[in-house]
Structure formats: structure tokens, C-alpha cells
Amino acid sequence: MARSPRLDAPGRGSSRPRATSRDRFGRFTEWVARAMGTPAFLLILTLFCVLWICWNTLLPDELRFDDAALGFTALTLMLSLQASYAAPLILLAQNRQDDRDRVQIEQDRQRAERNLADTEYLAREIVALRMSLEERNSQVVTRDVLRQELKALLAELGDSDEHSAAPVDDRRSSGRSTP
């Protein structure tokens, strides 16, 4: 036995959110706007009008439903009705497109800001590298400077060897054996 939904209880009803129907209608308006802007639509509308006029002028009076003497009043009303619905649907589709464009523009702006920040960072890094390379290139090492540096390093190595050997000699002279 299936229970019918209770109308007196809140929250019980359609499980579909309201935004879905609004989105569906928006997609419908975009479809109408796209369809009305095609050569196929114009061709179909032209064929419809030609058939309507031919039907109501060439067929016998018993089969006619719109009088040519009155200026095809029913056809005029049909086309006016179509136009009165087409214009708001096209405007709604344009509004949806404007909303999408605004979101896209905001995303593009944020992306451009990130790209600018990244570019500025990279430019600063390149400048720092150039400055360090220029500094490095300005310090020309001559043979004399290199010889002096090497002599100083050899002297330091000689001093460190003498200091490391001294404690070993002290232990031997005191009569202690090293394990």
C-alpha cells in the first residue's frame, strides 16, 4: 500500500529543488533564442505563412478558416502571439548569458592577477640572478690572488695537522697506551 505524501507536514513533497526548474526554463529560453536566430527557423516560418495564405485563398470557401478580405486576421494574431512570446524569451536568454559572462570576466580577472603576481616574482628573481652574476663577474681572479689563497689554505691545513698530532705525542710520552 503506497502512502500519498502528506500536505500538512513541512519538508515533505517534491524532492526536486526549485533551482532545477528555473535552470530548465533558462535552458529552454536559450534554446528558443538559438533556434529563432537560424535560417531554418526563418524558412519554416516563411513556409508556414505561405501555406496559411495559400490554404485560405486557393481552397474552396468551406475549407478556409481565415478570410483574406479581412487581411488574414488569424495569421496576424498568430504571428503577433509568436512575437510577443519570442521577445521576452530572447531577453531572458540574454540575461543568462550576461550572468555567465560576468562570472567568466571575474574568473579571467583573478587569473590575470595571479599571472601578474607570478610574472613580477619571476622578474624579481631574474634581476637577483643578474645582479649576483654581475657581482661574480666583476671579481676577476688573477694568478697572484689564486696563489695567495692556495698558500693560505695549505698553511691552515699544515697547522691543523700539527694540532691533531700533538695530543697523540702527549699520550705516548706519559706512558699511557691507546686502545
Side-chain angles (χ1 to χ4, degrees):
M1 168 190 316
R3 269 179 44 174
S4 62
R6 291 184 44 181
L7 298 177
D8 61 342
R12 305 221 180 196
S14 174
S15 62
R16 274 194 251 166
R18 207 154 160 47
T20 304
S21 66
R22 188 183 281 175
D23 190 49
R24 185 177 296 141
F25 184 72
R27 285 193 309 263
F28 170 74
T29 61
E30 288 174 344
W31 176 80
V32 168
R34 272 193 302 274
M36 291 184 118
T38 62
F41 175 78
L42 293 174
L43 181 66
I44 291 170
L45 187 61
T46 303
L47 289 175
F48 174 78
C49 291
V50 167
L51 285 173
W52 185 291
I53 292 170
C54 287
W55 183 282
N56 289 299
T57 54
L58 301 176
L59 291 178
D61 287 338
E62 304 85 41
L63 296 175
R64 295 180 189 175
F65 54 87
D66 195 11
D67 192 11
L70 296 176
F72 298 109
T73 306
L75 177 63
T76 304
L77 289 174
M78 290 286 292
L79 293 175
S80 296
L81 181 67
Q82 181 268 333
S84 68
Y85 276 99
L89 289 175
I90 291 170
L91 288 174
L92 286 172
Q94 286 176 343
N95 289 341
R96 268 177 62 96
Q97 185 61 43
D98 288 344
D99 292 342
R100 278 196 304 273
D101 289 346
R102 266 188 236 108
V103 168
Q104 184 66 39
I105 288 169
E106 180 61 25
Q107 289 174 348
D108 289 346
R109 186 190 63 75
Q110 290 172 354
R111 192 175 305 115
E113 285 178 358
R114 284 193 306 268
N115 288 342
L116 180 63
D118 290 346
T119 303
E120 288 174 350
Y121 171 76
L122 291 173
R124 285 192 302 270
E125 289 297 314
I126 289 172
V127 167
L129 286 171
R130 281 185 181 169
M131 289 174 60
S132 66
L133 283 174
E134 285 176 8
E135 182 181 315
R136 183 77 178 206
N137 289 338
S138 67
Q139 297 175 351
V140 178
V141 178
T142 63
R143 287 184 184 175
D144 293 333
V145 173
L146 186 59
R147 282 186 189 134
Q148 289 174 357
E149 291 292 322
L150 287 173
K151 284 180 185 178
L153 286 173
L154 284 173
E156 284 181 31
L157 285 173
D159 290 342
S160 65
D161 286 342
E162 290 175 12
H163 291 296
S164 62
V168 173
D169 291 339
D170 289 339
R171 279 189 247 139
R172 289 185 188 160
S173 62
S174 63
R176 295 184 194 157
S177 63
T178 55

